[in-house]
Amino acid sequence: MMAGPRVTLRDVARKVGVHASTVSRVLNSSTRSMVSPEIARRVDEAARDLGYRPNPIAYGLKTRRSLTVGVVIPDLTDPLFPPMIRGIDDTLARAGYTTIVANTDNDRERERVILERMRGRHVDALILGSTRREDVLDEDEVPVVLINRSIDVGGVTAVVSDNPGGIGQAIDHLASLGHRRIAHVAGPQYVSTGIARYQAYRSKMEDLGLPVTPDLVGHCESYSRGEGKRVLSLFLQSREPLTAVIAANDLLALGCYDALKAAGLRCPGDISVVGFNDMPFVDMMDPPLTTVRIPQYDIGAAAARAVLERMNEPAGGFEIIVLPSTLVVRASTAPPP
Amino acid sequence: MMAGPRVTLRDVARKVGVHASTVSRVLNSSTRSMVSPEIARRVDEAARDLGYRPNPIAYGLKTRRSLTVGVVIPDLTDPLFPPMIRGIDDTLARAGYTTIVANTDNDRERERVILERMRGRHVDALILGSTRREDVLDEDEVPVVLINRSIDVGGVTAVVSDNPGGIGQAIDHLASLGHRRIAHVAGPQYVSTGIARYQAYRSKMEDLGLPVTPDLVGHCESYSRGEGKRVLSLFLQSREPLTAVIAANDLLALGCYDALKAAGLRCPGDISVVGFNDMPFVDMMDPPLTTVRIPQYDIGAAAARAVLERMNEPAGGFEIIVLPSTLVVRASTAPPP
DNA sequence: GTGAAAGCGCTAACAG
DNA sequence: CTGTTAGCGCTTTCAC
């Protein structure tokens, strides 16, 4: 499966009969032109024969680069992230970088420790998927790009999905089915997706002339199934009647299913629900979930590309890259009873 | 979020007025006892004040260790893996190691490239979750531990779940419900889990005096929803009648749901289905899946511990660590019609 | 075009 | 106990 002793630049140099620095030049594409084609060819050959493999550690010590980028997310176990990470890793690997992922579990202290550790590891860049709106970034050491979430202050580059577009499509769909009293189970307002989707909900409802009373929205403290259940249960008990609910993400939507079941209500018979993210397997739920699909893999890939760019051009401008969202209609939505 | 210029051992040494090697000794727990408590204290203080952070790259170049372990899996996007990786990472991080994960997509060539890259990165150990039965390991360079799967030849350490136990419980459950014609949608026979569960099925069926004809088992070529559907559809069309099916894993079981739906059959009304792995969210499927739960996180943690042990004691013996499996009964199983 | 020399930040003998 | 020395494998001036 693997084999062979450690072979260094010098070994290759010795075999060809040149100096180690010459070998280095040949193997480094940017300096390769400095050396005669003939020698270059012989070096390549010797390197291949000997099974030479550059030592990234030595390279890193010399160049102060680790060829490594850190990815910080709340929890790998949240199905939203694996596809994004695949997108990141696939594109970063192609560029010669290794990705290191760490989980914060939504714990500020843990996040601090992780960032410390990443810094200790000398990552060349950071992709952050765990930021809160009020966070402020320090890009003094390494470039940073935000993924999925953004922050309130400007001067960052972030890759996010189209929240207004997605929520807009969801409401259009529900309205065309005949719904008017559409509630919103909102995400935590201290993360950008929470507030963005909430605001998109308000503005779209108003555009369509649909009622948007405070009583029609409930805020969750985290993106979890439990919170979704808790908040929708509140509606069911004491709030104004509703015929449909838009959850700020799929986990929350699943919690809504739980609440409905607990209350003896049927979905979509009594109440329609739509989610956000289209995470894996929601098409197999009972009922299959109507939700807003975001290009998870592409978001990761775009973030990786942005990070590569920023590493090459630290002075480059900031940008918010917005990827499209599209509603996927399944069986959790139907006309109101 | 992060700040400060690069501060080295020498900076700390200068500040305290000692030699760099003394600082190194203080900061290295195994050599700390060599230096006087007083100096040690002052070094600690200076290091803290200066915000000193050891450079793992330099450390690695010197010691030929990268403090890094590679984890190779088929696909991060398969819900089975994230919990395992959390278990690995949490454990390894506590020991000062960073984990790097890579996906093979079940592609032999890609796997080869990944192993190459891991080797290039000089990982200190490897955790492999992508092996096939006939693979042979070469631990010349770094220790290896297998996760979830094993291989046919001995002389490895692996952490797996109790396949016979889990399958046994599943069949007991089905039998107690009154089923006799229990089919098996087997996994790929070139991976250990595929054959282990298949053999467990045969032997348990025989033990209970239940029929186990070749017609009652179908083999899948991969662990995927599509294969599960394909194979169960075959049964439904042309094989002997059955009232229950044990799928070799949850993905396959979900494929069985698809096949049943396509055939207009009800689960569990017409046919009961049980899966394996209890991956996230199968409790929310339609119907909630009865399945064998394996301690995913613990499997990861155990593999990490094994790897740490092997790194410290390369001469240590091999062992197969088997973690318990338990059947979780939900709504996809019922008495036969 | 190519070799020599220095050094990235750290650890590990070896002296003292 | 602590300082000196050397060197991990590579890149990068600087000469030639």
Side-chain angles (χ1 to χ4, degrees), chain A residues 2-3 67 119 121 138, chain B residues 2-3 67 116 119 121 138:
Chain A
M2 16 177 75
L67 294 184
R119 189 181 169 223
R121 273 267 157 192
D138 175 357
Chain B
M2 14 178 74
L67 294 183
E116 264 303 291
R119 187 181 171 222
R121 273 265 156 194
D138 175 357

Side-chain angles (χ1 to χ4, degrees), chain A residues 13-226:
Chain A
R14 182 161 29 231
K15 172 150 186 175
V16 180
V18 296
H19 191 91
S21 54
T22 301
V23 176
S24 170
R25 286 192 264 258
V26 172
L27 269 23
N28 217 314
S29 59
S30 68
T31 48
R32 187 183 174 100
S33 55
M34 297 179 168
V35 38
S36 78
E38 170 56 14
I39 296 233
R41 205 190 46 69
R42 287 172 52 207
V43 167
D44 283 338
E45 195 181 308
R48 194 164 33 69
D49 289 356
L50 260 33
Y52 170 73
R53 196 171 311 297
N55 182 337
I57 313 265
Y59 170 88
L61 182 57
K62 186 65 192 174
T63 60
R64 309 180 130 290
R65 295 197 294 157
S66 62
L67 294 184
T68 256
V69 353
V71 176
V72 181
I73 55 170
D75 180 14
L76 183 60
T77 269
D78 179 335
L80 175 60
F81 296 111
M84 289 189 188
I85 291 175
R86 290 291 321 250
I88 293 173
D89 190 38
D90 288 354
T91 67
L92 247 28
R94 231 171 283 130
Y97 285 83
T98 295
T99 116
I100 294 175
V101 350
N103 309 271
T104 65
D105 287 325
N106 280 313
D107 180 327
R108 307 294 278 163
E109 172 57 13
R110 226 176 110 86
E111 177 167 21
R112 208 189 49 71
V113 171
I114 283 168
L115 255 8
E116 265 301 292
R117 190 175 307 159
M118 290 283 185
R119 189 181 169 223
R121 273 267 157 192
H122 289 107
V123 295
D124 294 334
L126 244 14
I127 295 179
L128 267 26
S130 58
T131 47
R132 292 162 187 238
R133 284 170 49 209
E134 80 276 11
D135 283 348
V136 2
L137 269 29
D138 175 357
E139 298 200 50
D140 286 356
E141 298 222 5
V142 295
V144 174
V145 355
L146 270 23
I147 190 167
N148 197 39
R149 300 179 177 185
S150 185
I151 57 177
D152 283 352
V153 302
V156 294
T157 115
V159 180
V160 299
S161 60
D162 182 2
N163 291 308
I167 294 292
Q169 289 176 56
I171 296 180
D172 276 337
H173 166 63
L174 255 13
S176 76
L177 248 24
H179 291 275
R180 284 188 55 81
R181 301 203 57 81
I182 302 169
H184 181 44
V185 171
Q189 298 298 296
Y190 55 81
V191 301
S192 69
T193 51
I195 190 135
R197 288 168 198 169
Y198 169 52
Q199 289 175 341
Y201 160 82
R202 292 188 57 107
S203 108
K204 181 67 178 191
M205 289 291 277
E206 277 166 15
D207 286 357
L208 295 188
L210 297 175
V212 44
T213 65
D215 242 34
L216 237 25
V217 357
H219 292 283
C220 297
E221 286 168 17
S222 67
Y223 280 122
S224 67
R225 198 166 144 184

Side-chain angles (χ1 to χ4, degrees), chain B:
Chain B
M1 194 168 254
M2 14 178 74
R6 201 68 73 236
V7 27
T8 77
L9 262 193
R10 293 171 121 81
D11 297 323
V12 179
R14 183 160 29 228
K15 171 150 185 173
V16 180
V18 296
H19 190 93
S21 55
T22 301
V23 177
S24 170
R25 286 191 265 257
V26 172
L27 269 22
N28 216 315
S29 60
S30 68
T31 48
R32 187 185 174 98
S33 55
M34 295 178 168
V35 40
S36 80
E38 170 57 12
I39 297 233
R41 206 191 45 69
R42 288 173 49 208
V43 166
D44 283 338
E45 197 181 307
R48 195 164 32 70
D49 291 355
L50 261 33
Y52 170 73
R53 195 171 310 298
N55 182 335
I57 312 264
Y59 170 88
L61 182 57
K62 184 64 192 176
T63 60
R64 307 180 133 289
R65 295 197 294 157
S66 61
L67 294 183
T68 258
V69 354
V71 177
V72 181
I73 56 171
D75 181 14
L76 184 60
T77 270
D78 180 335
L80 175 60
F81 296 110
M84 288 189 187
I85 290 176
R86 289 291 322 248
I88 292 173
D89 190 38
D90 288 354
T91 313
L92 249 26
R94 228 172 284 130
Y97 285 84
T98 294
T99 115
I100 293 174
V101 351
N103 309 272
T104 65
D105 287 325
N106 281 313
D107 180 327
R108 307 295 278 163
E109 172 56 11
R110 227 176 109 84
E111 176 165 22
R112 208 189 48 70
V113 171
I114 283 169
L115 255 10
E116 264 303 291
R117 190 175 307 160
M118 291 280 186
R119 187 181 171 222
R121 273 265 156 194
H122 288 106
V123 296
D124 294 334
L126 245 14
I127 296 180
L128 267 25
S130 57
T131 47
R132 290 145 123 95
R133 286 170 49 208
E134 80 275 11
D135 283 348
V136 4
L137 270 26
D138 175 357
E139 297 200 51
D140 286 355
E141 299 223 6
V142 296
V144 174
V145 355
L146 269 25
I147 190 166
N148 197 40
R149 301 178 176 185
S150 186
I151 56 177
D152 283 352
V153 302
V156 293
T157 116
V159 181
V160 299
S161 61
D162 183 2
N163 291 309
I167 294 291
Q169 288 176 57
I171 296 179
D172 276 336
H173 165 64
L174 256 13
S176 76
L177 247 24
H179 291 275
R180 282 188 57 80
R181 301 203 58 81
I182 302 170
H184 181 44
V185 170
Q189 298 298 294
Y190 56 80
V191 300
S192 69
T193 52
I195 190 135
R197 289 169 197 168
Y198 169 52
Q199 288 175 342
Y201 160 83
R202 293 188 56 106
S203 109
K204 181 67 178 192
M205 290 289 279
E206 277 167 15
D207 285 358
L208 295 188
L210 296 176
V212 42
T213 65
D215 242 32
L216 238 24
V217 356
H219 293 282
C220 296
E221 287 168 18
S222 68
Y223 280 123
S224 67
R225 199 166 143 185
E227 275 294 286
K229 177 177 183 183
R230 181 183 70 77
V231 168
L232 187 59
S233 295
L234 255 36
F235 279 103
L236 266 21
Q237 290 169 12
S238 55
R239 305 261 192 145
E240 297 192 35
L242 64 279
T243 62
V245 45
I246 294 182
N249 86 355
D250 290 346
L251 249 22
L252 258 22
L254 261 23
C256 290
Y257 279 10
D258 292 331
L260 258 18
K261 189 172 298 175
L265 260 20
R266 311 224 37 175
C267 172
D270 297 309
I271 291 185
S272 290
V273 174
V274 4
F276 205 108
N277 281 349
D278 192 28
M279 61 179 215
F281 301 107
V282 290
D283 62 314
M284 304 220 49
M285 303 290 171
D286 178 23
L289 183 67
T290 293
T291 185
V292 175
R293 171 175 298 164
I294 68 175
Q296 298 148 347
Y297 184 93
D298 295 338
I299 289 176
R305 265 182 266 116
V307 116
L308 289 169
E309 240 171 66
R310 293 188 71 56
M311 286 193 287
N312 293 331
E313 253 172 291
F318 298 109
E319 57 177 334
I320 305 290
I321 300 167
V322 180
L323 266 36
S325 309
T326 55
L327 185 73
V328 179
V329 176
R330 287 197 275 250
S332 65
T333 46

